[in-house]
Amino acid sequence: QVQLVESGGGLVQAGGSLRLSCVASGSNFNGMHMAWYRQAPGKQRELVAFSTSDGNTRSADSVKGRFTSSRDNVKNTAYLQMNSLKPEDTGVYYCYARIVTPRVSVYWGQGTQVTVSS
C-alpha cells in the first residue's frame, strides 16, 4: 500500500513562491509515476505537472514557466516548485502516484491548501 504525505502549502501573496513536497512510502519510488493535481472551489480537479519514473517532467500550459515538478529518488520525494503565484492558483493541491507492479494502481495524498492573495 502506497502512502503519500504532502507538505508545504500555505498562504502567500501574489508573485510569491511555495514548494510542495510529497513523501512516498510502501513501494519502489523509482518505479512511480508522480504527478500534482489541484482543485479550486467549484471546479474539477486538474493536472498541474508530472514527473515520470524515467525522469521526464511536464507542466500544464496554465502553469508552464512558473511551476516545475521534480523528484529525489533517494529521499522518495516529489516536489512542486511554484513561482510567480497568482490568485487563480488557489486550491487544494494533491500528490498522485501511479505504479504498474504488481498491478496498475493509483494513489492520492490527502491534499494541501494553497491560497494566493491579491
Side-chain angles (χ1 to χ4, degrees):
Q1 183 76 6
V2 172
Q3 291 188 325
L4 304 173
V5 179
E6 300 141 341
S7 61
L11 173 64
V12 64
Q13 288 189 331
S17 298
L18 285 173
R19 189 177 79 157
L20 306 183
S21 300
C22 174
V23 180
S25 60
S27 186
N28 177 22
F29 185 76
N30 288 14
M32 292 184 188
H33 171 97
M34 304 297 295
W36 291 93
Y37 285 75
R38 69 184 180 190
Q39 188 165 20
K43 294 188 176 181
Q44 289 188 328
R45 193 172 296 189
E46 63 174 350
L47 176 65
V48 175
F50 66 81
S51 64
T52 64
S53 57
D54 56 1
N56 291 317
T57 63
R58 187 164 293 181
S59 302
D61 288 343
S62 59
V63 304
K64 198 162 291 183
R66 300 188 298 120
F67 291 12
T68 303
S69 64
S70 63
R71 58 194 295 155
D72 185 331
N73 289 343
V74 174
K75 296 183 177 179
N76 291 352
T77 302
Y79 301 99
L80 182 67
Q81 179 65 46
M82 305 185 294
N83 299 327
S84 302
L85 282 159
K86 304 176 181 180
E88 52 262 43
D89 295 319
T90 294
V92 179
Y93 283 68
Y94 296 91
C95 180
Y96 162 102
R98 178 178 179 270
I99 61 173
V100 297
T101 59
R103 68 187 69 82
V104 176
S105 304
V106 298
Y107 300 90
W108 293 92
Q110 80 283 1
T112 185
Q113 177 70 44
V114 171
T115 302
V116 185
S117 63
S118 56

